C-alpha cells in the first residue's frame, strides 16, 4: 500500500529552516544571559557593635622583705661585790691621795737623756750626697785628675781588643778623709772596671766634707776615661 502525503504537510523540506531558527534563538539567549546585570541593594546598616566590659586585673605590688641582722647580744652583767667590814679593820689596799701641788721648793727629778750606741752608729753610717762644704782632694780637681792619670795601667786584654770608654766610680769620703765603699756606678768592660776600682782605692786622704761645721760622710763620683792612643 502506498503512503500518500500532502506536500504542505511534509516537514522534511523545512527541517533546515527550523534548525537555523533554533540556533539563532539559542545564541540570542546566551548573549542575553552574558549581558544581564543585577544592581546590589543598598545596605541599610553594617550591623551593631556590642561593647563587652573587660574586668581590670589588679596586680598586687610586692616588696622584698628586708632581712634584718640579729640583735647584738646583751652586755654581760657586772655584779658588784661589796665587802662590808668593821670600822676597826685596817684595809691594806686603801688608796692614798697625796698633794701634787708644786711650789718653789719642790724638787722634780728628771731622767737624763742617754744617747744610745745605735743612734751614734746611725749618725756615723749616714751618707750625704750634697753638703755645705763638699770634700776636696789635696791640691784640687786638677791634682785628682793628674793622680789618676799617673796611676792608671791600661789592661793588656782591653788594648788587644780595642776596648775604651769612660768608667764612673762612686765612693764615700769618711769624716777623717779616707776613701771607702768604692763601687762601679757605670762600667764599660770588666777589665777596665777592675782597674778603675784599684786606682780609686789607692787615693790618699781627702779634706772631709762638712755640714753645719761638722765633718760628715759624703758620697762622691769620679769619671775615669780610658782612651787608646
Amino acid at each position: 500500500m502506498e503512503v500518500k502525503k500532502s506536500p504542505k504537510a511534509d516537514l522534511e523540506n523545512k527541517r533546515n529552516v527550523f534548525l537555523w531558527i533554533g540556533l539563532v534563538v539559542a545564541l540570542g539567549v546566551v548573549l542575553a544571559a552574558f549581558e544581564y546585570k543585577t544592581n546590589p541593594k543598598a545596605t541599610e546598616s553594617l550591623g551593631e557593635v556590642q561593647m563587652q566590659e573587660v574586668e581590670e586585673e589588679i596586680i598586687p605590688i610586692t616588696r622584698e622583705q628586708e632581712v634584718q641582722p640579729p640583735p647584738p647580744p646583751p652586755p654581760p652583767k657586772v655584779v658588784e661585790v661589796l665587802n662590808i667590814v668593821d670600822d676597826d679593820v685596817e684595809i691594806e689596799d686603801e688608796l692614798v691621795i697625796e698633794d701634787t701641788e708644786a711650789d718653789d721648793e719642790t724638787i722634780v727629778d728628771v731622767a737624763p737623756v742617754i744617747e744610745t750606741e745605735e743612734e751614734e752608729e746611725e749618725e756615723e753610717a749616714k751618707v750625704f750626697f750634697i753638703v755645705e762644704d763638699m770634700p776636696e782632694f789635696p791640691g784640687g780637681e786638677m791634682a785628682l785628675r793628674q793622680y789618676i792619670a799617673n796611676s792608671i795601667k791600661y789592661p793588656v786584654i782591653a788594648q788587644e781588643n780595642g776596648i775604651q770608654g769612660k768608667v764612673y766610680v762612686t765612693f764615700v769620703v769618711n769624716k777623717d778623709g779616707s776613701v771607702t765603699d768604692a763601687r762601679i756606678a757605670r762600667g764599660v768592660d770588666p777589665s777596665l772596671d777592675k782597674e778603675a776600682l784599684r786606682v780609686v782605692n789607692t787615693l790618699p786622704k781627702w779634706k772631709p766634707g762638712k755640714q753645719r761645721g761638722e765633718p760628715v760622710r759624703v758620697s762622691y763620683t769620679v769619671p775615669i776615661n780610658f782612651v787608646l792612643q
Side-chain angles (χ1 to χ4, degrees), residues 9 17 56 59 63 83 85 88 113 128 172 212 215-216 219:
V17 175
E56 184 178 357
I59 301 174
R63 293 183 180 179
N83 294 328
V85 297
D88 297 336
V113 179
F128 292 84
V172 175
R212 298 179 182 177
V216 292
S219 177

Side-chain angles (χ1 to χ4, degrees), residues 94-205:
E94 185 176 359
L95 179 63
V96 178
I97 300 175
E98 297 180 355
D99 186 8
T100 57
E101 293 184 0
D103 52 12
D104 297 338
E105 297 180 357
T106 304
I107 299 175
V108 180
D109 294 333
V110 180
V113 179
I114 301 174
E115 294 184 357
T116 60
E117 294 181 358
E118 294 180 357
E119 293 178 354
E120 295 178 357
E121 291 178 358
E122 288 180 359
E123 291 181 358
E124 293 180 357
K126 186 176 182 181
V127 179
F128 292 84
F129 292 90
I130 298 176
V131 292
E132 296 174 355
D133 298 329
M134 292 295 292
E136 184 179 351
F137 186 80
E141 187 72 21
M142 293 302 297
L144 174 62
R145 295 181 181 179
Q146 188 64 36
Y147 179 88
I148 293 175
N150 295 334
S151 302
I152 283 293
K153 295 179 181 179
Y154 213 110
V156 178
I157 187 172
Q159 292 180 5
E160 294 176 352
N161 295 321
I163 300 172
Q164 59 183 358
K166 186 176 291 186
V167 179
Y168 289 84
V169 182
T170 300
F171 54 90
V172 175
V173 179
N174 289 322
K175 295 180 180 181
D176 59 354
S178 61
V179 175
T180 57
D181 300 337
R183 59 182 179 85
I184 300 297
R186 189 173 69 184
V188 176
D189 182 77
S191 59
L192 299 183
D193 298 346
K194 183 178 180 180
E195 178 62 18
L197 284 175
R198 185 192 68 80
V199 173
V200 168
N201 287 325
T202 62
L203 291 175
K205 286 189 176 183

Side-chain angles (χ1 to χ4, degrees), residues 80-99:
E80 295 182 358
V81 179
L82 300 178
N83 294 328
I84 302 175
V85 297
D86 298 334
D87 296 337
D88 297 336
V89 178
E90 293 183 359
I91 301 175
E92 296 180 357
D93 299 333
E94 185 176 359
L95 179 63
V96 178
I97 300 175
E98 297 180 355
D99 186 8

